[in-house]
Amino acid sequence: MLKSSKNTIRAARAITMAVGLTLLSSGVASAQQEGLEEIIITATKRDANLQDVSLSVAAVTAEQLNNMAIKRFDDVELPAIHIGQGGANDALFIRGIGSGFATGFDQSAPIYIDGVWFGVAQSQRLAFLDVAQIEILKGPQPTYLGKNAIAGAIAIVGARPTQEFSANLNASYEFEAEERAIAASISGPLSDTLRARLAVKNTEMTGYMDNLGTKKKNPAVKDMSGRLSIEADVSDSVKLFAKYESLRYEQNGRFTQLIKCLPTAPRDPTVEDCVFDLKRAVSFNPASFQPAANPFLSGRNGGPETQELTLDNALVRLDWATGPADVSLILGHYEQDNFNAIKPDHNVLQRNVLEGTQNVTLDSQEVRAVSKGDGALSWLAGVYHDEQRNVATGRQVLTAPMAMATDSRSTQTATTWSAFAELAYEFTDELTARLGVRYSQVEKVGNMAVDLWQVTPTVNTRLGPALPFLPLTLSRKDSSTDPALTLEWRPSDGMLWYASYREGFKAGGIDLDVNTSVIADLQFRPEQVEYIELGGKMSLLDDRARINFSAFRGDYNDLQVTQLDTLTANFRVLNAGKARSQGLEIDAAFKANDFVTLSLALTKLDSKYLTFEKAQCWQNPAQTVAQGCVQIGTVGGAPVFGQDLSGKSTSFAPDLSGTFGVDFRYPTGMTWFGDAVQLRAMASVFYTDKFNTNFDADPFTVQEGYEKYDARIGFAAEDGSWDVALSGRNLSNELTSHWIANAPSAGQAKFAQTDRPREITLQFRIGF
């Protein structure tokens, strides 16, 4: 009851601020002005006005990213959307639906960069480089972005070369974590038919947590990235676009800490208080892990508090404007390397270390044709193919005197073929029907091996495979035909009502981590959804007001999740049965006058497991029989316990979440450097109810509801050529975590990943 009251108070505070900002803005004299800026999205295979697309889409513009110094997805907070780090892997969830943590997992809410599929969760750690826009499509996307996009799709659109010369320099310094960032781009014509764009970015952060074990700040982050792109007019009807980009991410030290320790938890009480704060106590002493263990540990950057990610990405796109249609050929290639070295105990005791690598390569090809759109009938059609190779290793070493080690290796190849099409027929000027379909076939082959070793000061002895059936090769093939039907009604200009039914499919897979002794459990079934959405989009008051809303329901079958096997303390993949994600969304903006623009986004969400029997019981402290943990069977004569999560909320699914903001721009009458100067200020509040961060409904891993306040004030040239500002994010210094989990290696404790606290950033930008 107390927690519920706190959430009510928080919501009331957020609403009070929103009302206050609205009243404040209404005091500014009204004047006749232009309407809201048009938002063009590209993820539907056509460039289209957001207000004319019968989908629920959250669009984040480059200006919004720059205004609040947002550098990566960890900094983004949107209603009912979570994209960020979690444990050794990352979590991408839309409306309470996403994928768990497993080497062989494709994401239910994948990232697309300039139309190329990135199914590995850790891709989200890459810093934003010269981004034009981020488009988050909600709900399954069988027609437009069909590869496993069962919860939605996250499309990153990079800036393109320009017809006119332009150059930009952005620099910022964040005082709390000592984060320094500089980004530059230059773009323009090289000839009458050739244009190019070069963008580079570098970010370094000292850290925002005090590590009492090392006396250093954590996490220390370095980002370096660059992109070269060209655009050529091959002929009057053919255009070529090509790019190459290279990105590097390095993190030393983590932002985990032990919390909620029981009295029996192994820890050093002189440095570890188990209180959720901005302190952690983690250290690594290589001498505690036998010298003979060196072949198992790389020692990169001195130990297991290191994460590295590199990406080399190339794209070639050819667009041909032929008679009846526009034809596009898109060729993508990337290689992504992930390295993680961690201490699973999250403390200063020397108990074990874990290193993992993952190399992912993808080659993709897509050919599509889009009709010109003349007449009552319009259409698009295409075929898609990709080949992915996923090579992963994992090495874990326990402490002396008779240490044990595991050495795991896996390789998975996946081949995807799909064909898609959409027909749209305009019965009248007001009524349009769209029928889309995608057929997909995915074939996967996985090779797995796990060896046990004994480590002593003088010799390493291979004891043999961890399980008698290893090494092992498994394969599977899945296919699905997924339709999409949408009815659109436009009773007047600026108004769209729509109803849609869509189905989605995410291929099954192979549990490459091999954390079960039952061969049949190493494969998991496809995930499928049936989805309905009713929505409306309205542009009012001469386009000075915009109101979009949707009601949705998605019924998911065989939801793929990772669960902790309490007998082995290892995670494994299984199908959870059924889940339902349903709710209401509203997104609105209002340009009150020449100076003030208001915005609102709100989601009321109900995302629950309909059936999920035999789920893991929570641990540390152990779930009791009275709390629902009961024996569900035996393995090798040992009892196996589980719980029924039917009716429980899925992860990252707050009942209510939303954001409200005000943007204020006012001419000062001053002139600096020959430019008319404008005062620019903005403020916003983000609110969320409590939500589960883990997959077992453990009440000790719930993040309570909170609100965070952001603001910015500065001066800028009215023509946008430069600006200088001071911005603040999370000004109330709210301490939160989007990942709280058991610490099996620490025993009788939880660990939390601490979100970034208050940020105060000085920003400068100049453009030519």
Side-chain angles (χ1 to χ4, degrees), residues 284-468:
F284 172 62
N285 179 11
S288 297
F289 301 89
Q290 305 289 1
N294 287 338
F296 291 90
L297 303 175
S298 68
R300 289 165 69 169
N301 294 319
E305 285 272 297
T306 299
Q307 298 182 55
E308 297 175 359
L309 174 63
T310 64
L311 171 69
D312 291 285
N313 180 22
L315 173 74
V316 176
R317 173 170 175 163
L318 199 64
D319 293 302
W320 177 31
T322 184
D326 295 328
V327 180
S328 298
L329 168 66
I330 303 102
L331 307 176
H333 169 82
Y334 66 78
E335 181 172 354
Q336 182 172 307
D337 283 296
N338 305 323
F339 172 79
N340 282 285
I342 63 175
K343 287 185 86 247
D345 50 24
H346 304 282
N347 62 30
V348 297
L349 303 181
Q350 306 304 308
R351 298 167 62 82
N352 64 1
V353 295
L354 174 65
E355 284 190 359
T357 66
Q358 186 178 27
N359 174 270
V360 180
T361 58
L362 181 105
D363 290 285
S364 65
Q365 307 86 37
E366 180 175 294
V367 180
R368 66 171 180 258
V370 180
S371 68
K372 298 291 189 181
D374 298 331
L377 180 66
S378 61
W379 54 269
L380 68 84
V383 292
Y384 174 84
H385 168 260
D386 74 33
E387 293 187 5
Q388 183 195 48
R389 181 177 173 85
N390 185 342
V391 181
T393 67
R395 291 176 175 178
Q396 186 168 12
V397 181
L398 306 179
T399 52
M402 293 295 288
M404 298 296 295
T406 59
D407 180 11
S408 63
R409 305 168 304 283
S410 66
T411 299
Q412 177 177 272
T413 58
T415 302
T416 299
W417 287 95
S418 63
F420 57 92
E422 181 185 73
L423 289 175
Y425 187 77
E426 191 175 291
F427 292 97
T428 68
D429 290 341
E430 295 82 21
L431 185 63
T432 301
R434 297 181 182 275
L435 175 62
V437 65
R438 177 180 288 260
Y439 171 79
S440 300
Q441 178 180 286
V442 182
E443 185 172 2
K444 296 181 178 180
V445 178
N447 300 286
M448 299 148 285
V450 183
D451 292 332
L452 295 178
W453 290 74
Q454 188 175 68
V455 179
T456 71
T458 58
V459 65
N460 295 337
T461 304
R462 181 180 178 275
L463 302 180
L467 295 166

Side-chain angles (χ1 to χ4, degrees), residues 365-633:
Q365 307 86 37
E366 180 175 294
V367 180
R368 66 171 180 258
V370 180
S371 68
K372 298 291 189 181
D374 298 331
L377 180 66
S378 61
W379 54 269
L380 68 84
V383 292
Y384 174 84
H385 168 260
D386 74 33
E387 293 187 5
Q388 183 195 48
R389 181 177 173 85
N390 185 342
V391 181
T393 67
R395 291 176 175 178
Q396 186 168 12
V397 181
L398 306 179
T399 52
M402 293 295 288
M404 298 296 295
T406 59
D407 180 11
S408 63
R409 305 168 304 283
S410 66
T411 299
Q412 177 177 272
T413 58
T415 302
T416 299
W417 287 95
S418 63
F420 57 92
E422 181 185 73
L423 289 175
Y425 187 77
E426 191 175 291
F427 292 97
T428 68
D429 290 341
E430 295 82 21
L431 185 63
T432 301
R434 297 181 182 275
L435 175 62
V437 65
R438 177 180 288 260
Y439 171 79
S440 300
Q441 178 180 286
V442 182
E443 185 172 2
K444 296 181 178 180
V445 178
N447 300 286
M448 299 148 285
V450 183
D451 292 332
L452 295 178
W453 290 74
Q454 188 175 68
V455 179
T456 71
T458 58
V459 65
N460 295 337
T461 304
R462 181 180 178 275
L463 302 180
L467 295 166
F469 55 75
L470 294 173
L472 178 68
T473 298
L474 295 173
S475 64
R476 65 174 299 118
K477 181 185 292 186
D478 299 304
S479 62
S480 181
T481 301
D482 300 306
L485 174 64
T486 303
L487 296 177
E488 300 173 348
W489 181 45
R490 294 174 172 83
S492 61
D493 289 342
M495 185 171 292
L496 166 66
W497 300 89
Y498 66 90
S500 66
Y501 170 83
R502 306 198 293 270
E503 294 182 8
F505 158 79
K506 177 185 170 187
I510 301 167
D511 189 353
L512 301 178
D513 295 327
V514 197
N515 289 327
T516 176
S517 60
V518 182
I519 294 180
D521 290 343
L522 291 174
Q523 297 199 42
F524 46 93
R525 298 184 299 277
E527 185 176 305
Q528 296 177 318
V529 63
E530 294 183 354
Y531 178 86
I532 57 174
E533 181 177 319
L534 303 175
K537 297 187 175 184
M538 292 176 284
S539 296
L540 308 169
L541 304 176
D542 295 324
D543 292 331
R544 291 191 297 112
R546 182 166 58 226
I547 302 176
N548 300 337
F549 61 89
S550 66
F552 60 89
R553 172 184 285 186
D555 285 333
Y556 291 82
N557 291 312
D558 287 329
L559 199 69
Q560 299 167 6
V561 299
T562 50
Q563 291 275 281
L564 181 68
D565 186 333
T566 56
L567 293 180
T568 64
N570 289 317
F571 286 94
R572 67 184 187 90
V573 180
L574 69 157
N575 293 93
K578 297 182 179 181
R580 173 175 290 167
S581 172
Q582 62 184 357
L584 299 170
E585 289 181 335
I586 184 169
D587 183 89
F590 174 48
K591 192 169 184 178
N593 48 51
D594 279 335
F595 318 119
V596 177
T597 301
L598 308 174
S599 61
L600 170 72
L602 192 67
T603 299
K604 176 65 176 175
L605 179 66
D606 177 24
S607 181
K608 290 182 170 61
Y609 296 111
L610 297 181
T611 58
F612 190 3
E613 300 173 354
K614 300 182 179 180
Q616 71 182 55
C617 299
W618 69 73
Q619 302 295 314
N620 301 344
Q623 183 179 4
T624 66
V625 173
Q627 293 169 327
C629 182
V630 297
Q631 184 173 347
I632 58 176

Side-chain angles (χ1 to χ4, degrees), residues 95-112:
R95 296 171 170 170
I97 302 297
S99 298
F101 307 133
T103 304
F105 252 157
D106 295 333
Q107 294 301 301
S108 298
I111 292 174
Y112 289 81

Side-chain angles (χ1 to χ4, degrees), residues 153-200:
I154 304 156
I156 302 174
V157 183
R160 290 288 193 95
T162 53
Q163 295 279 0
E164 304 294 331
F165 173 81
S166 66
N168 284 279
L169 175 67
N170 286 269
S172 66
Y173 180 79
E174 199 284 310
F175 295 91
E176 301 287 333
E178 299 180 5
E179 183 177 38
R180 304 160 295 282
I182 186 166
S185 67
I186 184 170
S187 178
L190 299 179
S191 70
D192 291 341
T193 60
L194 182 63
R195 299 164 294 282
R197 187 181 189 97
L198 176 66
V200 294

Side-chain angles (χ1 to χ4, degrees), residues 74 84-87 90 124-125 205 208-209 218-221 249 251-258 276-280 282 305 307 346 736-739 751-756:
D74 281 330
Q85 295 192 39
D90 296 348
Q124 70 85 24
R125 299 190 188 186
M205 180 175 71
Y208 55 85
M209 297 187 72
N218 290 157
V221 174
Y249 172 89
Q251 177 181 309
N252 289 311
R254 305 182 71 194
F255 43 96
T256 61
Q257 59 175 304
L258 291 184
F276 186 57
D277 51 24
L278 291 176
K279 297 178 181 179
R280 65 192 304 260
V282 182
E305 285 272 297
Q307 298 182 55
H346 304 282
T736 61
S737 176
H738 279 71
W739 184 247
F751 79 92
Q753 293 198 153
T754 310
D755 296 335
R756 194 160 170 176

